[in-house]
């Protein structure tokens, strides 16, 4: 795949100057975020030790369920756990000992090596929304997602500068049979983008299909020796690991591909209402899940996952962007770092039905918490709406634009001679202005982060241009990006082999919508 991997991208420049540069189609992708700022930590050493002690007690005394999976129970028994039916009681210290073989960071390879990402350490990789069965845009409103919608999201993700990852199920294409849609989704990620992507987890055989398609794209030996996929393995909180998710984890771990072991918790329904109680359950579930991955293959790459939201005690609906959810995000990050593991949480989470003020407030709270809380892999970074039921085209580009602010904040504050600006202060002196001074002229292009979406024009100009709100501007940007999309080059042999694999697989089984 060397031709596709080393494809050079055309860049604007030269004598056409700034006007042409502004109008040129750009496919630049910023490197994943590397923090130059400290993490925000809310839990004291004493509280962390309490949570860790209680999590070990939970695993030993209460145990966790591995349902419909006798092979998993047998593995646990051989490893030293007390197995009673489907309930696995893990002796104190055993899970943590098993987790010690998991890497503290790993590289996920893209078919274009320039798009490779390192997951762990001080890095933050942003990936789009995952899982909604519905989509929404201004033209069509709220509707069931189709494969064409899916392809549009992949294209938008490829063209979004601040988005580092193509993601997985950016929406659930309901017009394709359940047992076949993963093939079309993976094919779209592999051919319409050259960013890293996620594999299927809805059934173990579909995880195996994901591995086999990657072997076509990257080569079998490369896949076995390197990580080319990340996958989302949700825990059925509280404390239950089902055979479907664990079956997918077994496939990926066996093939050296990364799994996000992630409790899925609505506080007050699937975990206690308290922050410390929820963190105790989160840690216990992650310990058990990651330890099991290491029973399959010691050294298999994993990510400490946390998806926690609170609940409205009046309606029972999940709520997002709340202070308690941020506290859990911060605390789980501390626990992950103490284990030396990459950390997944956060995203553009909101409960709003539209990309409105509620969506913006709730999304911003979680995005900022993810940056400050040390998240290494942020799923749902853009496009999430209506509690995860909807992938929104307008919110996708709104969120993707705002991810640029995270890059700027993460870079920290520079204090070199240029940043000190003493020459500028001397030049301007009391009562002057800095607009024309040499320092401003030398730095104005890069001094401030620039949005590609928001309107900062004077009122009169804004009014004359139609008084467009942000959602309208976002809809226009979606249309423009899709119109300007250019497919990244791919090795013709790999492209043909992937298409053949998908066609043969789909032809080998009847459609199933269950």
């Amino acid at each position: 795949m060397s031709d596709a991997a080393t494809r050079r991208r055309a860049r604007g420049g030269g004598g056409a100057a700034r006007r042409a540069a502004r109008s040129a189609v750009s496919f630049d992708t910023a490197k994943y975020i590397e923090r130059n700022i400290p993490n925000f930590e809310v839990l004291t050493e004493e509280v962390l030790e309490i949570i860790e002690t209680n999590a070990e007690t939970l695993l030993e005394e209460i145990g966790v369920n591995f349902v419909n999976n006798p092979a998993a129970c047998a593995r646990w028994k051989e490893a030293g756990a007390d197995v009673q039916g489907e309930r696995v009681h893990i002796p104190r210290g055993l899970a943590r000992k098993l987790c010690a073989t998991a890497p503290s960071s790993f590289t996920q390879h893209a078919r274009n090596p320039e798009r490779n990402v390192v997951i762990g350490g001080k890095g933050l990789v942003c990936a789009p929304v995952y899982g909604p069965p519905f989509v929404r845009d201004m033209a069509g409103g709220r509707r069931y997602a189709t494969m064409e919608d899916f392809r549009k999201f992949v294209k938008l993700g490829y063209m979004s500068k601040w988005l580092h990852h193509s993601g997985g199920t950016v929406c659930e294409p309901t017009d394709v049979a359940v047992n076949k849609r993963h093939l079309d989704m993976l094919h779209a990620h592999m051919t319409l983008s050259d960013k890293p992507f996620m594999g299927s987890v809805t059934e173990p055989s579909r995880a195996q299909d994901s591995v086999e398609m990657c072997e076509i794209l990257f080569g079998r030996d490369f896949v076995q020796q390197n990580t080319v996929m990340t996958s989302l393995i949700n825990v059925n909180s509280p404390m239950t690991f089902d055979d479907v998710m664990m079956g997918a984890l077994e496939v990926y771990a066996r093939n050296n591909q990364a799994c996000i072991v992630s409790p899925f918790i609505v506080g007050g329904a699937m975990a206690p209402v308290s922050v410390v109680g929820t963190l105790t359950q989160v840690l216990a579930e992650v310990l058990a899940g990651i330890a099991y991955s290491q029973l399959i293959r010691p050294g298999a790459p994993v990510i400490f996952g946390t998806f926690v939201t609170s609940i409205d005690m009046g309606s029972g609906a999940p709520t997002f962007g709340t202070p308690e959810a941020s506290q859990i995000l911060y605390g789980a990050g501390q626990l992950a770092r103490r284990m030396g593991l990459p950390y997944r949480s956060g995203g553009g989470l909101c409960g709003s039905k539209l990309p409105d003020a509620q969506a913006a407030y709730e999304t911003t709270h979680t995005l900022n918490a993810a940056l400050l809380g040390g998240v290494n892999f942020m799923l749902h970074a853009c496009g999430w709406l209506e509690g995860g039921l909807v992938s929104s085209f307008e919110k996708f580009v709104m969120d993707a634009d705002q991810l640029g602010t995270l890059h700027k904040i993460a870079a920290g504050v520079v204090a070199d001679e240029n940043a000190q600006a003493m020459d500028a202060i001397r030049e301007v002196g009391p009562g002057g202005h800095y607009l024309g001074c040499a320092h401003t002229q030398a730095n104005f292009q890069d001094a401030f982060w620039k949005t590609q979406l928001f309107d900062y024009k004077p009122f009169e100009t804004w009014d004359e241009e139609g008084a467009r709100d942000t959602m309208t501007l976002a809809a226009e940007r979606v249309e423009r990006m899709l119109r300007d999309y250019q497919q990244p080059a791919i090795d013709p042999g790999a492209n043909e082999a992937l298409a053949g694999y998908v066609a043969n697989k789909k032809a080998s089984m009847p459609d199933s919508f269950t």
Side-chain angles (χ1 to χ4, degrees):
M1 310 313 117
S2 59
D3 290 345
T6 59
R7 175 178 179 262
R8 296 187 298 274
R9 302 199 179 284
R11 292 175 178 268
R18 291 189 293 271
R19 186 170 60 255
R22 285 195 297 268
S23 63
V25 176
S26 173
F27 297 96
D28 290 344
T29 297
K31 184 182 179 182
Y32 59 88
I33 293 172
E34 294 179 284
R35 292 179 180 84
N36 195 32
I37 57 175
N39 294 315
F40 183 58
E41 301 191 339
V42 298
L43 302 181
T44 65
E45 179 72 19
E46 179 184 9
V47 173
L48 289 165
E49 290 178 357
I50 288 171
I51 292 170
E52 289 170 341
T53 298
N54 288 349
E56 294 279 6
T57 300
L58 189 160
L59 290 175
E60 185 172 50
E61 295 184 5
I62 302 172
V64 295
N65 286 343
F66 278 77
V67 298
N68 301 320
N69 197 340
C73 293
R75 288 189 184 97
W76 274 116
K77 188 171 184 178
E78 185 178 354
D82 176 18
V83 179
Q84 301 175 16
E86 294 183 329
R87 182 70 59 89
V88 177
H89 297 265
I90 304 172
R92 187 174 297 274
L94 175 59
R96 191 171 287 270
K97 179 181 178 182
L98 291 170
C99 290
T101 58
S104 59
S105 67
F106 61 90
T107 297
Q108 183 181 351
H109 295 264
R111 69 177 176 90
N112 178 354
E114 293 181 2
R115 311 286 195 231
N116 292 354
V117 295
V118 175
I119 301 176
K122 292 186 176 182
L124 170 56
V125 175
C126 298
V129 61
Y130 183 107
F134 299 100
V135 298
R136 173 183 281 279
D137 60 24
M138 288 188 68
R142 185 183 191 268
R143 62 188 186 279
Y144 278 107
T146 66
M147 193 60 219
E148 182 57 28
D149 291 319
F150 186 95
R151 293 189 181 101
K152 287 179 179 179
F153 277 118
V154 173
K155 293 175 182 179
L156 291 174
Y158 168 60
M159 297 180 71
S160 296
K161 178 177 181 178
W162 308 111
L163 197 64
H164 319 111
H165 202 282
S166 194
T169 309
V170 287
C171 64
E172 190 76 41
T174 57
D175 60 335
V176 182
V178 171
N179 60 330
K180 299 179 180 180
R181 64 181 60 156
H182 68 288
L183 298 164
D184 289 330
M185 290 190 286
L186 277 164
H187 188 253
H189 282 302
M190 291 176 169
T191 59
L192 301 180
S193 174
D194 61 5
K195 294 182 179 181
F197 53 85
M198 302 176 73
S200 176
V201 296
T202 53
E203 211 277 333
S205 66
R206 296 166 199 165
Q208 184 60 43
D209 290 343
S210 304
V211 171
E212 291 173 6
M213 290 179 71
C214 282
E215 290 175 346
I216 293 172
L217 187 63
F218 292 95
R220 188 177 189 284
D221 290 342
F222 190 89
V223 169
Q224 292 303 314
Q225 297 169 18
N226 300 276
T227 299
V228 299
M229 271 186 298
T230 305
S231 60
L232 178 60
I233 305 297
N234 279 325
V235 181
N236 283 354
S237 303
M239 299 175 290
T240 300
F241 297 81
D242 68 56
D243 57 321
V244 174
M245 286 284 114
M246 288 301 98
L249 178 146
E250 290 162 8
V251 170
Y252 287 123
R254 192 179 302 120
N255 289 279
N256 196 40
Q257 302 308 304
C259 291
I260 307 167
V261 178
S262 190
F264 188 94
I265 290 175
V266 178
M270 301 168 183
V273 295
S274 66
V275 169
V276 170
T278 296
L279 284 170
T280 299
Q281 183 180 311
V282 165
L283 180 58
E285 292 177 353
V286 169
L287 279 168
I290 290 179
Y292 184 64
S293 77
Q294 301 305 295
L295 287 177
I296 300 297
R297 177 169 173 164
V302 290
I303 301 173
F304 182 127
T306 304
F307 181 92
V308 176
T309 184
S310 50
I311 194 169
D312 181 88
M313 288 299 182
S315 67
T319 55
F320 301 90
T322 60
E324 297 80 13
S326 292
Q327 289 174 326
I328 291 167
L329 187 157
Y330 292 134
Q334 291 179 256
L335 294 167
R337 288 188 290 277
R338 284 164 72 90
M339 290 183 66
L341 292 172
Y343 175 45
R344 171 258 165 155
S345 194
L349 311 180
C350 67
S352 183
K353 316 304 182 290
L354 295 169
D356 56 11
Q358 177 185 338
Y361 282 129
E362 293 175 343
T363 293
T364 299
H365 285 315
T366 312
L367 291 179
N368 285 335
L371 176 66
L372 299 177
V375 169
N376 301 118
F377 187 85
M378 179 164 61
L379 200 55
H380 313 304
C382 57
W384 168 294
L385 206 61
E386 201 180 319
L389 289 174
V390 171
S391 294
S392 162
F393 285 97
E394 288 83 15
K395 190 166 184 290
F396 191 101
V397 299
M398 291 164 65
D399 292 342
D401 180 68
Q402 288 300 293
L403 293 177
T405 66
L406 303 188
H407 286 72
K408 184 72 172 184
I409 294 170
V413 177
V414 177
D416 60 15
E417 184 176 352
N418 180 64
Q420 292 172 39
M422 290 300 292
D423 288 346
I425 298 170
R426 289 189 179 99
E427 178 185 342
V428 173
H433 69 78
Y434 290 83
L435 292 176
C437 78
H439 185 267
T440 300
Q441 293 300 308
N443 290 280
F444 78 95
Q445 287 187 324
D446 301 317
F448 307 116
W449 174 78
K450 301 179 186 70
T451 179
Q452 295 180 303
L453 180 64
F454 290 169
D455 187 306
Y456 294 130
K457 297 169 185 167
F459 172 82
E460 291 77 12
T461 306
W462 170 79
D463 191 50
E464 288 172 2
E465 292 182 350
R468 296 169 297 178
D469 62 12
T470 304
M471 187 160 64
T472 302
L473 292 172
E476 293 173 357
R477 180 163 173 77
V478 168
E479 182 180 351
R480 184 168 60 254
M481 290 174 72
L482 293 176
R483 184 178 64 244
D484 292 343
Y485 169 80
Q486 297 175 15
Q487 185 173 357
I490 184 171
D491 179 88
N495 194 34
E496 183 179 355
L498 284 170
Y501 181 94
V502 170
N504 291 336
K505 272 285 182 178
K506 292 174 77 172
S508 71
M509 50 187 156
D511 288 356
S512 172
F513 282 89
T514 59

